[in-house]
Amino acid sequence: MIPHEILQKVRRVQIRTSHQVNEMLAGNWHSAFKGHGIEFEEVRPYQIGDDVRAIDWNVSARSDQPFVKLFREERELSVHLLVDLSASQKLGTTTQTKRELVAELGALLSMSAIKNNDRVGLTLFTDDIEKTIPARKGSRHVLRMIRELLYCDPIGTGTDIRSALDHLNRVCKRRTVVFLISDFQDQDYEQALKVAARKHDIIPVVVTDPREHEMPNVGLVRLQDEETGEVVTVDTASRWNRRKYSDLFRAQSDARDHLFRRLRLMPIHLETGSDIVDPLHKYFHQRETRS
């Protein structure tokens, strides 16, 4: 039995994100993510302004008046959220943790998909696959996904993007729109990402917290790596330490973004405590323009 307070929180997330989808994202989603093709629907009499290349000459010859072919988009897509639940997602130095941001993002993307009659699935991973929910439609399905995003208790603590992508390729047989949501604190996943990008439409979503790229001056502090458990003592009053900390984050970020550019992937960058609807709106518009 799921506790009542958990159901209430899941429902609140669904209601809030549903409003955001209705107001801003549903139309953008449809424009940004096209169907896989078109199929013939019917013919109708030619009207001024119709493309002459659409004229059905066989029907026109039999009818002594021009007719044009009409086609409709094969709209239904398969969407999959590949979500990192490693221990580093617990970090949150603003109004939310990275995991809470990811849950809200997952709800927004799922609601946008089902509003457009697309199927959406979910895989949660750490250094192992924690849970997979096959792609389906419907609001009850989305509620289940939100619940797992908020309350799944992962066994692993590390991050293994390579094995998560390998798992994706095994379970998703047809071409799928994949949102790879992670802080990307991992290595050696380039080849797996390259293979997955050939088969699927991969959209990296990079989730960060402000304290990951800027160390505050608060004197001596003990820091623990949530994924490895390693503890170090750092003098944050040292300007050299703070600069090296920022330089390391920047170097890792530049290497990651360079990989995305080489693979021609368009990432979305999100930060805890900041609005996520506007970056999504801009991304959808950019994607539509690029298409």
Side-chain angles (χ1 to χ4, degrees), residues 31-97:
S31 300
F33 298 102
K34 302 295 185 181
H36 292 299
I38 58 174
E39 60 181 24
F40 174 75
E41 187 169 35
E42 62 177 343
V43 295
R44 65 160 171 75
Y46 176 86
Q47 299 174 0
I48 295 176
D50 285 341
D51 189 341
V52 295
R53 291 173 297 182
I55 293 177
D56 187 322
W57 296 106
N58 291 329
V59 175
S60 301
R62 293 196 300 269
S63 306
D64 293 327
Q65 63 171 314
F67 278 77
V68 294
K69 296 178 181 178
L70 298 182
F71 298 86
R72 65 179 175 85
E73 179 186 1
E74 294 180 38
R75 173 59 241 176
E76 182 179 303
L77 297 176
S78 183
V79 180
H80 205 86
L81 309 185
L82 193 58
V83 179
D84 173 8
L85 283 192
S86 60
S88 60
Q89 298 295 325
K90 298 177 183 177
L91 178 64
T93 62
T94 61
T95 57
Q96 63 183 170
T97 64

Side-chain angles (χ1 to χ4, degrees), residues 231-288:
V231 178
V232 296
T233 301
V234 180
D235 181 9
T236 64
S238 166
R239 186 177 301 173
W240 186 87
N241 283 344
R242 295 199 304 273
R243 187 177 68 249
K244 292 296 289 183
Y245 180 88
S246 297
D247 289 347
L248 177 61
F249 177 84
R250 190 177 305 110
Q252 293 172 338
S253 299
D254 289 347
R256 178 200 63 221
D257 292 342
H258 178 67
L259 171 61
F260 293 158
R261 286 193 296 272
R262 283 198 291 108
L263 298 182
R264 298 186 178 182
L265 303 178
M266 293 173 56
I268 304 172
H269 293 269
L270 302 176
E271 189 172 78
T272 58
S274 300
D275 174 58
I276 66 173
V277 175
D278 187 54
L280 288 177
H281 178 79
K282 290 179 179 177
Y283 174 82
F284 291 161
H285 178 70
Q286 181 184 7
R287 182 184 172 101
E288 178 185 2

Side-chain angles (χ1 to χ4, degrees), residues 184-196:
F184 290 88
Q185 294 183 14
D186 191 19
Q187 298 177 349
D188 301 325
Y189 58 85
E190 177 178 350
Q191 184 59 31
L193 185 58
K194 186 184 299 185
V195 171

